[in-house]
Amino acid sequence: MDSTNNIIRLREQMTLDGIDAYIIYTADPHNSEYPADHWKFREFVSGFNGSAGVVVVTKNHAGLWTDSRYYIQAAKQLRGSAIELHKMGMPGVPDYISYLTYLLPSGGTIGVDGRTVTDDEFRSMSRTLGNFGISVNMKLDYAAEIFSARPPLPSTSVWLMPKEQEGSPRATKLAAVRKAMRDVGATHYIVPALDDVAWLTNMRGSDVEFNPVFYAYMIVTESDAHLYINPNKLTAEIGVALNADDIVTHLYEHFERDVAAIPSTARVYYDPAQLNAFCAAALPAECARIEGRGIVTKLKAVKIPQEIANIEKAHARDGAAMVRFARWMTENVGKVRMTELDLSARLTAERAKEALYISDSFGTIMAYGENAAIVHYEPTVESNAEVHPQGLILIDSGAQYMDGTTDVTRTFALGPLTDKERLHYTLTLKGTIALAQAIFPANTRGTQLDTFARQAMWRYGVDYGHGTGHGVGYCLNVHEGPQNISKKLVDVTIEEGMVTSDEPGIYVEGSHGIRIENLTVCIETKRTDFGTFLGFKTLTMFPIDKTPIITELLTPQEVKWLNDYHATVLKTLEGLVEGADLEWLRKACQPL
C-alpha cells in the first residue's frame, strides 16, 4: 500500500471540497465487522487490515486510532507510512473526535461517508463537534474518487437453509418480529445488518469472507416484508419460497429511495447502532421514529433447542478435525519442517473433510512464539514463522457448518517452557474454568461476569486488554451481539440459550501469548426462593493441553472441572476418530 500517495490524493480532494478533516471508518453501509473488499477503503488508504480502527486525515496530519488488540499489528503495518498510530485507551491519548476539537478552528468542516458510520455515532459526533462550531458533511464518498482498482460489490448467489438446519421457519420468525413491532407501536421495521437479514430469511451466502451472509436490506411491515437484494443472487426456488411468506424483492440500489418514500404517517422502528447515518437521514421528517436495539438482533441471540442440538453436533465434528490436526502437529514438530501458514492450511483442510462444512469462520490465528503476543495475528508470507519443538503456539480458529459456527482457541506446549510461560498458562486456564463454573442470577450483565475470568490474574498483577466473551451466531457471524462479557458497561443480560465465548488470555510483547477459549451456552441451573440462577454448558469439544500447567496452583474444584471436561470430550469424540488419532485423544484426555 502506498499510504503516502493515497494521503496526498485524499488531501487534494479535501482541498477541492473545502474539507479540513476526513474520517474513514472500517464498516460498510450495514455496519459489518468484516466488510467485503469493495468497502475496504480504510485498508486501501492506510495498509492496516485489522477489524477495528478509524483513520483521520487533516491538512497536516494523518492518524489511525485503534484499540489494544491491534497495537502491535498496527505499529508494524504503519511502519514507514505517512500515518501515525494513536493507541485508544492509553493514558494521554484523546479519542479522534476530541483530537479534532483541539485541532480544528470554529467554522471548520469535517467530511465522512455517511453510509459507513451508524446514525448514533454520527449524531454523537455532530453534537460534540457542533459545540466547537465544527460542522460535518456526510455526503462525501471519497472512496469513489480515490479507491483505484476498487473491487466490485460481490454478486455471489445465496441458498436456502435446509429444513433440518434452519431452526424456526421464516413465517415463525416474521410473526415474532411483528409481535415485537406491535409491542412498541411500530408499522415499519428497518433491518440493515447482514446477519439479521440472513437469519430472518433463512438464507445464507458468501459475499463476505468467513461470514455466510449476503448484501441485502429488509423493511418489515405489518402485512408484508421487502427484501432489497441483487436479483441475480436468487433462484426461482428461492423466489417461490420468499413469495409464500409475503416477502417482496426489490433492487438493492433502491433501498435508500424506498426509505425516503415511507409514508409520513408511518411509525418506523430501527436500531441507530445498526442503520447508517445516510439512510437514517433519508427517512421522511414527518415519520415517527422509534429507536431501540434491533428486534432480530435480540431474537437470534437466544438459540432455540433445535439450534443448540445442531450446534453441539457441529462442535463434535469440529473437535474431531482438531484432534487429527493436533495429533499430526504435536507428533511431527521438529521432525518435518512446518510454518504457521503450513499449519493453518492443514487445519482448514482437516475441517473441510467434515460434513456440512462451509468455510472457516474467521482467518486462523496460527501464532508461534512472540507472534502470539499479537492478539489478532494472522500469518502472512512476510511474518510466517517456522515452528520448532520449543515454546508455545497459540491457535485460534473455527468453522462455519450448516448446523453451527465454531470458535476455539488452544495454546500448545511444543517443547521446553519458561517459568513465566507456565505461570501465565496456568492463570489463563484458571480464568477459563472460573467463568465456565460461574453460577449467577437471571438479569446478570456480562460486565459482572467478566471479573470471574480475571481474578486469578489480578492477584499476580496481570491482565489483558480484550473482552472475555462475545456472542456467536448460528451458521452466521462468529462475533454476534448483543451480549458481551468484558469490562465495557454493556446493558445486556446474559440469557438462557445465548452462545458466548469464554476466552481469557495473557500477552507479553516480544515473548509469548496465551489464550484458552471455549464456546458455551447459557443454561438454567436452579430455581430457589431467591429466583432463577443460570450458568454455562461448554460446547467446545477438544482437549486442553495439560503439559504447561503448574498443578499446585489449581484448586481441587478446578482439577475436577478439567477432568470432568476431558471425560466429556473423550466420550463425545472417541467414535469420530480412529487409529493414532484416537490414541492421541485418549492420552490428551487422561485425568490430571
Short mmCIF file of all heavy atoms in Angstrom, two decimals, residues 121-162:
data_model
loop_
_atom_site.label_atom_id
_atom_site.label_comp_id
_atom_site.label_asym_id
_atom_site.label_seq_id
_atom_site.Cartn_x
_atom_site.Cartn_y
_atom_site.Cartn_z
N GLU A 121 -23.60 7.04 16.07
CA GLU A 121 -22.23 7.57 16.05
C GLU A 121 -22.20 8.95 15.41
O GLU A 121 -21.54 9.87 15.90
CB GLU A 121 -21.30 6.63 15.29
CG GLU A 121 -20.92 5.37 16.01
CD GLU A 121 -20.01 4.49 15.14
OE1 GLU A 121 -20.45 4.03 14.07
OE2 GLU A 121 -18.86 4.28 15.56
N PHE A 122 -22.93 9.09 14.30
CA PHE A 122 -22.92 10.36 13.58
C PHE A 122 -23.56 11.47 14.43
O PHE A 122 -23.03 12.58 14.50
CB PHE A 122 -23.66 10.22 12.26
CG PHE A 122 -23.67 11.49 11.44
CD1 PHE A 122 -22.55 11.84 10.69
CD2 PHE A 122 -24.77 12.32 11.44
CE1 PHE A 122 -22.54 13.02 9.96
CE2 PHE A 122 -24.77 13.50 10.71
CZ PHE A 122 -23.65 13.84 9.95
N ARG A 123 -24.67 11.16 15.08
CA ARG A 123 -25.32 12.19 15.90
C ARG A 123 -24.45 12.60 17.08
O ARG A 123 -24.35 13.78 17.41
CB ARG A 123 -26.68 11.67 16.38
CG ARG A 123 -27.74 11.69 15.29
CD ARG A 123 -29.10 11.28 15.82
NE ARG A 123 -29.13 9.88 16.21
CZ ARG A 123 -30.20 9.28 16.71
NH1 ARG A 123 -31.32 9.94 16.88
NH2 ARG A 123 -30.17 8.00 17.03
N SER A 124 -23.83 11.60 17.72
CA SER A 124 -22.95 11.92 18.84
C SER A 124 -21.77 12.78 18.39
O SER A 124 -21.43 13.78 19.04
CB SER A 124 -22.43 10.62 19.47
OG SER A 124 -21.49 10.88 20.48
N MET A 125 -21.18 12.39 17.25
CA MET A 125 -20.06 13.16 16.71
C MET A 125 -20.49 14.58 16.36
O MET A 125 -19.80 15.55 16.68
CB MET A 125 -19.52 12.44 15.48
CG MET A 125 -18.50 13.20 14.67
SD MET A 125 -17.79 12.18 13.34
CE MET A 125 -19.25 11.83 12.37
N SER A 126 -21.64 14.70 15.71
CA SER A 126 -22.11 16.01 15.28
C SER A 126 -22.40 16.93 16.47
O SER A 126 -22.10 18.13 16.43
CB SER A 126 -23.36 15.86 14.41
OG SER A 126 -23.07 15.14 13.24
N ARG A 127 -22.99 16.35 17.54
CA ARG A 127 -23.27 17.16 18.73
C ARG A 127 -21.98 17.68 19.35
O ARG A 127 -21.86 18.87 19.68
CB ARG A 127 -24.04 16.34 19.76
CG ARG A 127 -25.52 16.16 19.46
CD ARG A 127 -26.26 15.63 20.68
NE ARG A 127 -25.74 14.33 21.11
CZ ARG A 127 -26.23 13.17 20.71
NH1 ARG A 127 -27.21 13.14 19.82
NH2 ARG A 127 -25.71 12.04 21.15
N THR A 128 -21.02 16.77 19.52
CA THR A 128 -19.76 17.17 20.16
C THR A 128 -19.03 18.22 19.32
O THR A 128 -18.59 19.26 19.84
CB THR A 128 -18.85 15.94 20.34
OG1 THR A 128 -19.51 14.98 21.16
CG2 THR A 128 -17.53 16.34 21.00
N LEU A 129 -18.90 17.96 18.04
CA LEU A 129 -18.20 18.91 17.18
C LEU A 129 -18.96 20.22 17.03
O LEU A 129 -18.36 21.30 16.95
CB LEU A 129 -17.97 18.27 15.80
CG LEU A 129 -17.01 17.08 15.78
CD1 LEU A 129 -17.07 16.35 14.45
CD2 LEU A 129 -15.58 17.52 16.08
N GLY A 130 -20.30 20.11 17.03
CA GLY A 130 -21.11 21.33 16.92
C GLY A 130 -20.89 22.28 18.09
O GLY A 130 -20.98 23.50 17.94
N ASN A 131 -20.59 21.72 19.26
CA ASN A 131 -20.31 22.57 20.43
C ASN A 131 -19.07 23.42 20.23
O ASN A 131 -18.87 24.42 20.94
CB ASN A 131 -20.14 21.70 21.68
CG ASN A 131 -21.44 21.05 22.11
OD1 ASN A 131 -22.52 21.55 21.83
ND2 ASN A 131 -21.34 19.92 22.81
N PHE A 132 -18.23 23.02 19.28
CA PHE A 132 -17.00 23.76 18.98
C PHE A 132 -17.10 24.49 17.64
O PHE A 132 -16.09 24.94 17.11
CB PHE A 132 -15.80 22.81 18.96
CG PHE A 132 -15.47 22.23 20.31
CD1 PHE A 132 -16.13 21.10 20.78
CD2 PHE A 132 -14.51 22.82 21.12
CE1 PHE A 132 -15.84 20.56 22.02
CE2 PHE A 132 -14.20 22.29 22.37
CZ PHE A 132 -14.88 21.16 22.83
N GLY A 133 -18.32 24.58 17.13
CA GLY A 133 -18.52 25.31 15.88
C GLY A 133 -18.02 24.57 14.65
O GLY A 133 -17.77 25.18 13.61
N ILE A 134 -17.87 23.24 14.75
CA ILE A 134 -17.36 22.43 13.63
C ILE A 134 -18.53 21.66 13.02
O ILE A 134 -19.28 20.99 13.73
CB ILE A 134 -16.27 21.47 14.11
CG1 ILE A 134 -15.11 22.24 14.74
CG2 ILE A 134 -15.77 20.60 12.96
CD1 ILE A 134 -14.11 21.36 15.49
N SER A 135 -18.69 21.72 11.72
CA SER A 135 -19.78 21.03 11.04
C SER A 135 -19.29 19.75 10.40
O SER A 135 -18.09 19.57 10.18
CB SER A 135 -20.41 21.94 9.97
OG SER A 135 -19.45 22.28 8.98
N VAL A 136 -20.25 18.83 10.08
CA VAL A 136 -19.91 17.55 9.47
C VAL A 136 -20.72 17.37 8.20
O VAL A 136 -21.95 17.50 8.20
CB VAL A 136 -20.19 16.37 10.43
CG1 VAL A 136 -19.70 15.07 9.81
CG2 VAL A 136 -19.52 16.60 11.78
N ASN A 137 -20.03 17.07 7.11
CA ASN A 137 -20.67 16.79 5.83
C ASN A 137 -20.64 15.27 5.62
O ASN A 137 -19.57 14.69 5.47
CB ASN A 137 -19.92 17.51 4.70
CG ASN A 137 -20.56 17.31 3.34
OD1 ASN A 137 -21.33 16.37 3.13
ND2 ASN A 137 -20.25 18.19 2.40
N MET A 138 -21.83 14.63 5.59
CA MET A 138 -21.89 13.17 5.49
C MET A 138 -22.00 12.67 4.06
O MET A 138 -22.17 11.48 3.83
CB MET A 138 -23.08 12.64 6.28
CG MET A 138 -24.42 12.95 5.65
SD MET A 138 -25.73 11.80 6.13
CE MET A 138 -26.02 12.29 7.81
N LYS A 139 -21.94 13.54 3.07
CA LYS A 139 -22.20 13.14 1.69
C LYS A 139 -20.93 13.07 0.84
O LYS A 139 -20.97 13.27 -0.37
CB LYS A 139 -23.20 14.10 1.05
CG LYS A 139 -24.55 14.10 1.76
CD LYS A 139 -25.54 15.05 1.11
CE LYS A 139 -26.89 15.01 1.81
NZ LYS A 139 -27.87 15.94 1.20
N LEU A 140 -19.81 12.77 1.47
CA LEU A 140 -18.54 12.76 0.75
C LEU A 140 -17.99 11.33 0.66
O LEU A 140 -17.39 10.82 1.59
CB LEU A 140 -17.53 13.68 1.44
CG LEU A 140 -17.92 15.16 1.46
CD1 LEU A 140 -16.93 15.96 2.29
CD2 LEU A 140 -18.00 15.72 0.05
N ASP A 141 -18.23 10.70 -0.47
CA ASP A 141 -17.76 9.34 -0.71
C ASP A 141 -16.44 9.40 -1.47
O ASP A 141 -16.40 9.26 -2.69
CB ASP A 141 -18.81 8.56 -1.51
CG ASP A 141 -18.38 7.13 -1.80
OD1 ASP A 141 -17.35 6.70 -1.26
OD2 ASP A 141 -19.07 6.47 -2.59
N TYR A 142 -15.35 9.62 -0.75
CA TYR A 142 -14.04 9.75 -1.41
C TYR A 142 -13.53 8.41 -1.93
O TYR A 142 -12.64 8.38 -2.78
CB TYR A 142 -13.03 10.38 -0.45
CG TYR A 142 -13.22 11.87 -0.28
CD1 TYR A 142 -12.59 12.55 0.76
CD2 TYR A 142 -14.03 12.60 -1.14
CE1 TYR A 142 -12.75 13.92 0.93
CE2 TYR A 142 -14.20 13.97 -0.98
CZ TYR A 142 -13.56 14.62 0.07
OH TYR A 142 -13.72 15.98 0.21
N ALA A 143 -14.07 7.33 -1.43
CA ALA A 143 -13.66 6.02 -1.97
C ALA A 143 -13.97 5.95 -3.46
O ALA A 143 -13.20 5.38 -4.24
CB ALA A 143 -14.38 4.90 -1.22
N ALA A 144 -15.09 6.53 -3.87
CA ALA A 144 -15.47 6.51 -5.28
C ALA A 144 -14.48 7.28 -6.13
O ALA A 144 -14.30 6.99 -7.33
CB ALA A 144 -16.87 7.10 -5.45
N GLU A 145 -13.79 8.26 -5.51
CA GLU A 145 -12.85 9.11 -6.25
C GLU A 145 -11.42 8.56 -6.22
O GLU A 145 -10.68 8.74 -7.19
CB GLU A 145 -12.85 10.53 -5.65
CG GLU A 145 -14.21 11.18 -5.56
CD GLU A 145 -14.77 11.53 -6.92
OE1 GLU A 145 -13.98 11.73 -7.86
OE2 GLU A 145 -16.01 11.59 -7.05
N ILE A 146 -11.06 7.91 -5.12
CA ILE A 146 -9.64 7.61 -4.87
C ILE A 146 -9.31 6.13 -4.89
O ILE A 146 -8.19 5.74 -5.20
CB ILE A 146 -9.24 8.24 -3.51
CG1 ILE A 146 -9.38 9.77 -3.58
CG2 ILE A 146 -7.82 7.86 -3.12
CD1 ILE A 146 -9.29 10.44 -2.24
N PHE A 147 -10.26 5.27 -4.57
CA PHE A 147 -10.02 3.83 -4.40
C PHE A 147 -9.76 3.21 -5.78
O PHE A 147 -10.66 2.74 -6.46
CB PHE A 147 -11.24 3.19 -3.74
CG PHE A 147 -11.00 1.84 -3.13
CD1 PHE A 147 -11.93 1.28 -2.26
CD2 PHE A 147 -9.85 1.09 -3.40
CE1 PHE A 147 -11.75 0.03 -1.69
CE2 PHE A 147 -9.64 -0.15 -2.84
CZ PHE A 147 -10.61 -0.68 -1.98
N SER A 148 -8.50 3.20 -6.19
CA SER A 148 -8.14 2.67 -7.51
C SER A 148 -8.30 1.16 -7.55
O SER A 148 -8.07 0.47 -6.55
CB SER A 148 -6.69 3.06 -7.84
OG SER A 148 -5.80 2.57 -6.88
N ALA A 149 -8.70 0.64 -8.71
CA ALA A 149 -8.92 -0.80 -8.89
C ALA A 149 -9.84 -1.36 -7.80
O ALA A 149 -9.63 -2.46 -7.28
CB ALA A 149 -7.60 -1.56 -8.91
N ARG A 150 -10.86 -0.58 -7.47
CA ARG A 150 -11.78 -0.97 -6.40
C ARG A 150 -12.56 -2.22 -6.79
O ARG A 150 -13.18 -2.26 -7.86
CB ARG A 150 -12.76 0.16 -6.11
CG ARG A 150 -13.67 -0.08 -4.92
CD ARG A 150 -14.61 1.10 -4.69
NE ARG A 150 -15.29 0.99 -3.41
CZ ARG A 150 -16.17 1.89 -2.97
NH1 ARG A 150 -16.46 2.95 -3.71
NH2 ARG A 150 -16.75 1.72 -1.78
N PRO A 151 -12.55 -3.25 -5.94
CA PRO A 151 -13.32 -4.46 -6.26
C PRO A 151 -14.81 -4.13 -6.36
O PRO A 151 -15.31 -3.27 -5.62
CB PRO A 151 -13.04 -5.38 -5.08
CG PRO A 151 -11.77 -4.87 -4.48
CD PRO A 151 -11.79 -3.39 -4.69
N PRO A 152 -15.52 -4.79 -7.24
CA PRO A 152 -16.96 -4.54 -7.36
C PRO A 152 -17.71 -5.11 -6.16
O PRO A 152 -17.17 -5.90 -5.39
CB PRO A 152 -17.35 -5.28 -8.64
CG PRO A 152 -16.35 -6.39 -8.73
CD PRO A 152 -15.06 -5.83 -8.19
N LEU A 153 -18.97 -4.67 -6.01
CA LEU A 153 -19.81 -5.29 -4.99
C LEU A 153 -19.95 -6.79 -5.28
O LEU A 153 -20.10 -7.18 -6.44
CB LEU A 153 -21.19 -4.64 -4.98
CG LEU A 153 -21.33 -3.32 -4.23
CD1 LEU A 153 -22.69 -2.70 -4.51
CD2 LEU A 153 -21.14 -3.53 -2.73
N PRO A 154 -19.87 -7.64 -4.28
CA PRO A 154 -19.96 -9.08 -4.53
C PRO A 154 -21.32 -9.47 -5.10
O PRO A 154 -22.34 -8.87 -4.77
CB PRO A 154 -19.72 -9.70 -3.15
CG PRO A 154 -20.02 -8.61 -2.18
CD PRO A 154 -19.69 -7.32 -2.86
N SER A 155 -21.30 -10.48 -5.94
CA SER A 155 -22.54 -10.90 -6.61
C SER A 155 -22.73 -12.41 -6.51
O SER A 155 -23.30 -13.03 -7.40
CB SER A 155 -22.53 -10.46 -8.07
OG SER A 155 -21.39 -10.99 -8.74
N THR A 156 -22.24 -13.01 -5.44
CA THR A 156 -22.37 -14.46 -5.27
C THR A 156 -23.82 -14.83 -5.00
O THR A 156 -24.60 -14.01 -4.49
CB THR A 156 -21.49 -14.95 -4.11
OG1 THR A 156 -21.90 -14.28 -2.91
CG2 THR A 156 -20.03 -14.64 -4.36
N SER A 157 -24.19 -16.05 -5.32
CA SER A 157 -25.56 -16.50 -5.12
C SER A 157 -25.82 -16.82 -3.65
O SER A 157 -24.89 -17.01 -2.86
CB SER A 157 -25.84 -17.72 -5.99
OG SER A 157 -24.96 -18.78 -5.65
N VAL A 158 -27.10 -16.89 -3.29
CA VAL A 158 -27.48 -17.26 -1.93
C VAL A 158 -28.16 -18.62 -1.97
O VAL A 158 -28.51 -19.12 -3.04
CB VAL A 158 -28.42 -16.20 -1.30
CG1 VAL A 158 -27.75 -14.84 -1.28
CG2 VAL A 158 -29.74 -16.12 -2.05
N TRP A 159 -28.33 -19.23 -0.80
CA TRP A 159 -29.01 -20.52 -0.75
C TRP A 159 -29.95 -20.56 0.45
O TRP A 159 -29.78 -19.82 1.42
CB TRP A 159 -28.01 -21.66 -0.69
CG TRP A 159 -27.19 -21.75 0.56
CD1 TRP A 159 -27.53 -22.38 1.72
CD2 TRP A 159 -25.89 -21.17 0.79
NE1 TRP A 159 -26.52 -22.25 2.65
CE2 TRP A 159 -25.50 -21.52 2.10
CE3 TRP A 159 -25.01 -20.42 0.01
CZ2 TRP A 159 -24.29 -21.12 2.66
CZ3 TRP A 159 -23.81 -20.03 0.55
CH2 TRP A 159 -23.46 -20.37 1.86
N LEU A 160 -30.95 -21.39 0.34
CA LEU A 160 -31.89 -21.61 1.43
C LEU A 160 -31.31 -22.60 2.43
O LEU A 160 -30.72 -23.61 2.05
CB LEU A 160 -33.22 -22.17 0.89
CG LEU A 160 -34.06 -21.25 0.01
CD1 LEU A 160 -35.19 -22.04 -0.64
CD2 LEU A 160 -34.64 -20.11 0.84
N MET A 161 -31.48 -22.32 3.71
CA MET A 161 -31.07 -23.28 4.73
C MET A 161 -31.96 -24.51 4.66
O MET A 161 -33.19 -24.39 4.55
CB MET A 161 -31.18 -22.64 6.12
CG MET A 161 -30.15 -21.58 6.41
SD MET A 161 -28.51 -22.27 6.74
CE MET A 161 -28.71 -22.82 8.44
N PRO A 162 -31.39 -25.72 4.71
CA PRO A 162 -32.22 -26.93 4.74
C PRO A 162 -33.14 -26.92 5.96
O PRO A 162 -32.81 -26.36 7.00
CB PRO A 162 -31.18 -28.05 4.84
CG PRO A 162 -29.91 -27.46 4.31
CD PRO A 162 -29.95 -26.01 4.71
#
